[in-house]
Amino acid sequence: AKARAADRAAAAGGAAEPASLKKVSLLEDSRRAANVAIGLEYFSRQYRGDDDALCRAVASLSEWLDGPKLRSLQVQLPTPEEEALVRSYVDDAANDAARLARPERFFAAALRWPR
């Protein structure tokens, strides 16, 4: 099945993602990771998955982000322990932040903005 998917991707002009480029998940609680990823999907539609754009919208008090949306986003923010995990990964020059899984990429973007 993997070979057929790779063949279809190659035929479509794209390349299949090599096994060496698997996403890195730092969160130990898989349920928390899944909940954050699902929660971020709502905002991904508006900001096309651009976490920095979402953080800029929060910082600039975008009108689209009303009270209920901000409360929903607040639940997605990293805990201090999650911040420490992501910060240590991102600060290590040997690691590639682009390989982080969806929740961790959002956490890394959120760390670049003041709370």
Side-chain angles (χ1 to χ4, degrees):
K2 287 182 183 179
R4 286 184 293 202
D7 291 341
R8 283 192 301 262
E17 186 176 38
S20 64
L21 295 179
K22 288 184 180 177
K23 296 295 181 187
V24 175
S25 181
L26 304 174
L27 301 181
E28 293 178 12
D29 184 355
S30 61
R31 192 165 64 174
R32 164 81 170 141
N35 287 338
V36 171
I38 291 167
L40 291 173
E41 279 304 308
Y42 177 76
F43 297 99
S44 290
R45 284 184 235 131
Q46 177 71 21
Y47 295 100
R48 294 175 177 78
D50 185 350
D51 296 323
D52 284 318
L54 175 56
C55 292
R56 276 192 304 276
V58 171
S60 67
L61 303 174
S62 169
E63 289 183 22
W64 184 80
L65 290 169
D66 58 10
K69 290 175 186 158
L70 286 173
R71 282 189 289 281
S72 172
L73 185 59
Q74 185 178 18
V75 175
Q76 312 309 320
L77 292 174
T79 65
E81 295 82 17
E82 293 165 342
E83 282 184 21
L85 278 172
V86 172
R87 191 178 310 275
S88 67
Y89 182 87
V90 171
D91 288 347
D92 186 345
N95 295 325
D96 181 9
R99 291 187 56 210
L100 287 172
R102 178 69 177 108
E104 289 85 350
R105 281 195 325 260
F106 171 70
F107 292 168
L111 291 175
R112 294 190 292 265
W113 291 87
R115 287 225 175 165

